[in-house]
Amino acid sequence: MLPRPLRLLLDTSPPGGVVLSSFRSRDPEEGGGPGGRVVGGGQEEEEEEEEEEAPVSVWDEEEDGAVFTVTSRQYRPLDPLVPMPPPRSSRRLRAGTLEALVRHLLDSRTSGTDVTFMSAFLATHRAFTSTPALLGLMADRLEALESHPADELERTTEVAISVLSTWLASHPEDFGSEAKGQLDRLESFLLQTGYAAGKGVGGGSADLIRNLRSRVDPQAPDLPKSLALPGDPPADPTDVLVFLADHLAEQLTLLDAELFLNLIPSQCLGGLWGHRDRPGHSHLCPSVRATITQFNKVAGAVVSSVLGATSTGEGPGEVTIRPLRPPQRARLLEKWIRVAEECRLLRNFSSVYAVVSALQSSPIHRLRAAWGEATRDSLRVFSSLCQIFSEKDNYSQSRELLAQEVKLQSPLEQHSKKAPRSGSRGGGVVPYLGTFLKDLVMLDAASKDELENGYINFDKRRKEFAVLSELRRLQNECRGYNLQPDHDIQRWLQGLRPLTEAQSHRVSCEVEPPGSSDPPAPRVLRPTLVISQWTEVLGSVGVPTPLVSCDRSSIGGDEVPATPAPLLTRLAQVTSQDKAPSVVSRVLKKNNRDSAVASEYELVQLLPGERELTIPASANVFYAMDGASHDFLLRQRRRSSTATPGVTSGPSASGTPPSEGGGGSFPRIKATGRKIARALF
């Protein structure tokens, strides 16, 4: 919908206030969308037809450690004889100290004037405080009100009980053993003030405390038993041909759906997930790690089966390889494409992307002979699946498809030659989690945690909460599946021993040795933000790690590890005093790298027309940014003794086999490089 024209009304700013902006009326977020109510006005839209569109003024008000954004709308009656009504105003908390946020949380007026505050606060609080600290501040607030009028204490206590009930229902994982001490304080307060027998939301507060304690001291859960017995030989990855594609897709969906339902959305917050690799943070975000582990297992199964190889150890040579001819590998490629298509029909986007990413990876993508034997129908389906996850416009196609899948039949299913599925499998959905991780990490990088005065930036938390709410909504949709486990397929999946990255590179090169006539590798396309090394980024969002070209220079018959992948960055805040070495050091530090090795890296500006400009150590980066590009590449300096890695060719982006005579030139590497550069951001 197009925005309404801007209309300004003079003299609508408050006394002593500063108008931050004036913009179109009826902001949907404030409740003034079409057909809705205006916050603070309480009149229906049909009543507003008797008034002109309302110009809007917005300003900030600071009060007791908090900053509130106030929105005022001044309506003009269409009838000039009707007196001018007073402005209709609403306000919501924008930032504040932690104590001020807790006061706002326990204020009985908040639920009516700032309707999303409690939900956003409870969903994101772990990004700026801990559960014990928050419970302690709630207890402090209640105890401080004991000397206040009884009605104020009663209202605040009722709100506190409501908050705790909502908190327990929505985020039970927050109440671990570390919260026991503060729960004791709250229970003691409720007993002393007589509220332990009173009625809160969902029952008496005594029952609430018991339920909280049951979370603090939980029974040890029964761990799922492995279907693979100890001592069993590893599963043959080529046995994928034994299973029906739709049966295998159902089992992948069953596993993915269980993990997605157990996902704790708050663990996806950029402030938590983005710091998972720091020392002492290995315990963070276990539900996200579990989802990514499953994604990588699926991708690893694809790579191992197409290569016909099983890992027997960690070394590059500790691999058992099954000899396969190109037509046999083509049948394996086709099988996995059918599995991905079936996952697509099941709306399991996680496994679809796992399979597609593995087929696009360098060890598989470069197998020209195998892809040349694949059928046109399979390549057509593969091309359509690749388009779903195109990085164009920030993965807009996959986002739009996911949004409409909840209600509409997918385009692929509409044009599929297969008969429509019966309703026996249910109608759930499993999204690709990496999209949400990327959005939340971008939000975390783009907005400061605190204002300049140290106040917590709660506007940032509201934006994060919008993403977490979408995850919650999809989790509810995910419950629609009706799938039963197949122990044979589950046992096969558990028995697979996927190859390491080095092993997959080596086996791929043994299967089809690198061609000497292949053209040089294209430069990685322009990045958007700072990322870690590619393989770590891929692992962090669930993309399989073996995506780097397998061709490496050799010295004395031994493989030489490739130069670590470059870091990519868009430099947003650089002063005129920052020279290249200090910028390099800062980027390394931000990505949890040792800034002491900054001298080993060079900063390169990516210019239009596929050009580069290496920034000298004595140059001020600030002045390089005053041009057509703010995109930079941070890479290790080349060593003269290291040969430039070659590149092999493979299937094209559309899924068609590469042309003869070297014309294919590995075209998917560009898109894969762009996926890598944007995977997390």
Side-chain angles (χ1 to χ4, degrees):
M1 184 177 68
L2 294 176
R4 297 180 183 271
L6 177 67
R7 297 185 63 197
L8 298 179
L9 182 65
L10 300 179
D11 300 327
T12 58
S13 59
V18 178
V19 176
L20 298 183
S21 60
S22 297
F23 46 89
R24 65 183 178 90
S25 63
R26 299 184 184 178
D27 182 357
E29 190 176 37
E30 296 293 340
R37 295 177 180 268
V38 176
V39 175
Q43 297 186 16
E44 300 290 351
E45 185 179 2
E46 54 267 25
E47 297 178 11
E48 294 173 358
E49 292 177 356
E50 300 178 357
E51 300 171 331
E52 289 185 353
E53 296 176 358
V56 180
S57 296
V58 180
W59 65 90
D60 280 349
E61 290 180 352
E62 186 166 356
E63 176 184 305
D64 200 13
V67 176
F68 294 88
T69 296
V70 182
T71 303
S72 177
R73 293 176 173 84
Q74 178 63 70
Y75 291 90
R76 287 186 181 276
L78 294 178
D79 186 349
L81 300 179
V82 176
M84 178 78 71
R88 302 172 188 174
S89 300
S90 63
R91 75 175 196 164
R92 63 185 213 165
L93 188 142
R94 183 169 76 87
T97 64
L98 182 55
E99 293 77 8
L101 266 60
V102 172
R103 285 197 304 271
H104 192 62
L105 177 69
L106 299 181
D107 192 330
S108 59
R109 298 167 296 179
T110 299
S111 60
T113 59
D114 198 350
V115 292
T116 63
F117 179 80
M118 180 173 70
S119 298
F121 184 91
L122 295 179
T124 63
H125 78 276
R126 281 182 172 262
F128 53 86
T129 188
S130 65
T131 295
L134 179 53
L135 290 171
L137 287 172
M138 291 177 64
D140 291 343
R141 178 61 176 163
L142 293 175
E143 292 170 355
L145 291 176
E146 288 189 86
S147 59
H148 287 230
D151 59 340
E152 182 179 359
L153 175 60
E154 181 178 357
R155 288 195 304 268
T156 305
T157 304
E158 289 177 353
V159 173
I161 294 173
S162 175
V163 168
L164 288 172
S165 299
T166 303
W167 193 356
L168 178 61
S170 304
H171 310 282
E173 68 279 353
D174 288 344
F175 297 93
S177 58
E178 70 276 4
K180 185 177 183 302
Q182 298 302 332
L183 285 177
D184 289 342
R185 283 186 63 196
L186 285 171
E187 181 180 26
S188 175
F189 171 82
L190 294 174
L191 287 171
Q192 290 176 6
T193 55
Y195 284 95
K199 295 294 181 180
V201 175
S205 56
D207 293 336
L208 172 61
I209 293 294
R210 279 195 296 271
N211 292 335
L212 290 170
R213 288 194 178 282
S214 69
R215 294 294 309 179
V216 171
D217 302 312
Q219 299 293 325
D222 295 330
L223 298 177
K225 295 182 180 180
S226 174
L227 297 176
L229 299 176
D232 283 355
D236 185 348
T238 62
D239 280 350
V240 66
L241 296 174
V242 175
F243 307 115
L244 295 175
D246 58 340
H247 290 183
L248 180 53
E250 288 177 2
Q251 297 309 300
L252 294 177
T253 302
L254 184 65
L255 296 172
D256 290 338
E258 181 179 2
L259 288 169
F260 183 57
L261 288 174
N262 291 328
L263 175 75
I264 299 174
S266 61
Q267 294 182 2
C268 299
L269 287 170
L272 299 179
W273 178 243
H275 298 160
R276 67 200 177 281
D277 293 329
R278 293 184 178 181
H281 289 187
S282 60
H283 65 287
L284 293 179
C285 313
S287 66
V288 182
R289 295 177 189 269
T291 301
I292 289 171
T293 297
Q294 169 64 13
F295 185 106
N296 289 335
K297 283 183 178 179
V298 175
V302 176
V303 173
S304 296
S305 63
V306 175
L307 294 177
T310 299
S311 176
T312 58
E314 295 295 327
E318 297 181 81
V319 179
T320 300
I321 304 176
R322 184 171 181 171
L324 296 172
R325 301 190 309 275
Q328 293 174 308
R329 295 189 198 281
R331 302 295 82 78
L332 289 163
L333 290 171
E334 293 166 357
K335 185 55 172 271
W336 280 113
I337 291 172
R338 289 198 299 273
V339 171
E341 182 183 21
E342 292 292 340
C343 288
R344 168 66 189 87
L345 296 177
L346 281 165
R347 305 195 298 183
N348 177 3
F349 293 95
S350 183
S351 282
V352 172
Y353 196 31
V355 174
V356 169
S357 296
L359 294 176
Q360 290 177 336
S361 68
S362 173
I364 305 303
H365 182 269
R366 63 178 299 277
L367 301 178
R368 293 169 56 92
W371 284 102
E373 296 287 341
T375 65
R376 289 188 175 182
D377 282 347
S378 294
L379 295 177
R380 176 186 57 79
V381 173
F382 180 57
S383 175
S384 65
L385 294 174
C386 291
Q387 289 302 315
I388 292 176
F389 296 99
S390 169
E391 68 276 9
K392 183 179 179 181
D393 296 330
N394 194 19
Y395 297 90
S396 61
Q397 184 166 345
S398 62
R399 293 175 187 271
E400 293 172 3
L401 186 59
L402 178 61
Q404 70 183 12
E405 271 298 332
V406 177
K407 298 180 180 179
L408 303 178
Q409 186 183 28
S410 69
L412 181 63
E413 190 171 355
Q414 291 174 355
H415 298 93
S416 175
K417 296 180 181 179
K418 295 178 177 290
R421 293 291 177 189
S422 64
S424 61
R425 303 197 299 185
V429 61
V430 179
Y432 168 55
L433 187 60
T435 302
F436 296 90
L437 293 175
K438 181 195 69 173
D439 289 345
L440 289 167
V441 170
M442 286 184 65
L443 276 174
D444 184 62
S447 304
K448 294 182 178 180
D449 291 334
E450 298 179 348
L451 304 185
E452 293 183 359
N453 60 2
Y455 285 1
I456 295 171
N457 181 7
F458 199 74
D459 272 353
K460 173 179 179 177
R461 306 307 166 192
R462 293 183 193 271
K463 296 175 183 177
E464 292 175 330
F465 174 65
V467 180
L468 299 184
S469 296
E470 178 64 11
L471 275 175
R472 288 279 189 184
R473 187 182 70 86
L474 290 171
Q475 284 180 318
N476 290 333
E477 296 291 339
C478 185
R479 303 180 194 279
Y481 286 117
N482 181 23
L483 302 172
Q484 302 301 320
D486 183 319
H487 295 302
D488 291 335
I489 297 180
Q490 300 276 2
R491 187 179 298 109
W492 176 75
L493 289 170
Q494 291 183 7
L496 291 174
R497 295 183 184 175
L499 306 175
T500 65
E501 184 178 342
Q503 289 171 341
S504 62
H505 297 338
R506 184 162 190 160
V507 173
S508 179
C509 291
E510 289 181 8
V511 169
E512 290 192 20
S516 58
S517 61
D518 291 323
R523 192 188 76 190
V524 175
L525 295 189
R526 294 168 59 177
T528 54
L529 287 167
V530 177
I531 64 172
S532 302
Q533 289 190 1
W534 289 355
T535 55
E536 296 180 4
V537 170
L538 294 171
S540 70
V541 295
V543 180
T545 55
L547 287 176
V548 186
S549 175
C550 70
D551 303 341
R552 301 180 182 185
S553 57
S554 301
I555 299 178
D558 296 327
E559 285 188 351
V560 178
T563 303
L567 302 177
L568 304 170
T569 180
R570 168 167 289 174
L571 301 176
Q573 295 180 343
V574 177
T575 71
S576 60
Q577 303 302 317
D578 288 324
K579 296 189 177 180
S582 64
V583 173
V584 170
S585 178
R586 190 184 310 162
V587 172
L588 290 172
K589 185 176 180 180
K590 182 175 182 179
N591 285 271
N592 302 320
R593 299 288 185 268
D594 185 4
S595 58
V597 299
S599 60
E600 300 178 11
Y601 288 83
E602 61 183 359
L603 186 65
V604 179
Q605 186 176 21
L606 304 180
L607 301 174
E610 300 297 316
R611 294 176 298 139
E612 294 182 352
L613 173 64
T614 301
I615 306 299
S618 59
N620 290 330
V621 182
F622 177 83
Y623 298 104
M625 295 174 61
D626 188 20
S629 174
H630 287 196
D631 292 338
F632 292 76
L633 180 145
L634 183 62
R635 66 187 175 200
Q636 281 195 322
R637 300 181 184 275
R638 292 187 177 90
R639 300 174 182 175
S640 58
S641 61
T642 303
T644 302
V647 177
T648 61
S649 57
S652 68
S654 62
T656 57
S659 59
E660 297 296 326
S665 72
F666 212 176
R668 280 301 302 177
I669 277 295
K670 263 193 177 183
T672 299
R674 186 156 45 188
K675 279 191 175 69
I676 293 170
R678 297 179 178 172
L680 187 55
F681 297 97

